Amino acid sequence: MEHDRTGPRLPQARGPLSAAVRACLLGTAPPPGPRAADDADPYGDDLQLALYLCYELHYRGFAGVFAGLEWDPGLLAARAALEQRFLSALRAGTTVHAGVESAVEDLLAEPADATGVSHFMRDEGELWQLREYAAQRSLYHLKEADPHAFVLPRLHGRAKAAMAAVEFDEYGGGRPERVHARLFADLMSDLGLDPTYGRYLDAVAAPMLAVVNLMSLFGLHRALRGALVGHFAAVEITSSPGSRRLAEAMRRTGAGPAAEHFYDEHVEADAVHEQIVRKDVIGGLLEDEPELEADVVFGIDATGHVEDLLAAHLLEAWRSGESSLRGPLDEQNAHIS
């Protein structure tokens, strides 16, 4: 059996589910049984980390883990049980719009008195909070666009062409130095963080794991392709104004030119992407498969739900003067595996 030599190190377990999945990846135990997740907190550290470990096998894997486990039947069965627990909680806890038009209108119409992480960062965020935010979001931004790429073979016609066009921009338009994941790595370097893929996995909070896992959940299931398109729309439509505020925060705190550039780039690029996604990705998909409208709406609203959970966690910690991470950032940064 050939084990991956590259990739991030396996994180520490956060409970019995993630410990069982971790042991399976190390080859020291079978995967957890199909009922192991029945009583787990669907948004908690243990289940979310266990699910992340399963999903990461479809991306870069982990150093020292057998690559063939990606399609291990027992591990896939365990993953399905974790997914069902998570998906059931999402469906029960997400307030869903009546249709795509109203869901998109609400994404576009940002209230004048809106509050959130980007507003906090722009107005009062400190450099240490920006560093924590970058460490948290690195789980997403260092694989930016990858989960969405899974949907391309599941689309056709106008939706496929438009999705591919936006993804091409996300991947730098053919220029490796402009790949958005690379731009975020440069941002991390400006902030004195280690830009190595997966470096801060042990440090990030459960709500951040849920944000990343949602993309993989939608991306890896053809039956959820409509939800993935909804997720993509929510990200692209809301990105430009939030990125503008974060760019202002980077400038105000003197974070550095690469840190500013990452968000400046998203202000411009995502303003264009928003039009393409609304008119051609969503429009093309629903023209071909109108029965997927409810799934698109669910994808939009579930994205807002998990992002709201993350925002609540971050702001509660920071407004109390506490860290949003599971351990001191500089200790995490100093760790070299």
Side-chain angles (χ1 to χ4, degrees), residues 1-6 25-27 62-67:
M1 295 194 306
E2 183 174 347
H3 292 63
D4 284 321
R5 297 182 180 180
T6 60
L25 298 186
L26 291 172
F62 294 97
V65 172
F66 175 47

Side-chain angles (χ1 to χ4, degrees), residues 215-269:
M215 294 189 292
S216 298
L217 171 65
F218 292 163
L220 288 168
H221 291 273
R222 190 176 69 85
L224 294 172
R225 63 194 181 280
L228 191 283
V229 166
H231 180 281
F232 189 62
V235 170
E236 295 298 327
I237 292 173
T238 60
S239 173
S240 187
S243 293
R244 181 176 289 107
R245 288 187 287 270
L246 288 167
E248 292 176 16
M250 295 294 175
R251 275 188 276 276
R252 180 176 59 79
T253 58
E260 296 173 19
H261 177 66
F262 176 80
Y263 288 110
D264 284 335
E265 171 73 13
H266 280 69
V267 171
E268 297 181 12

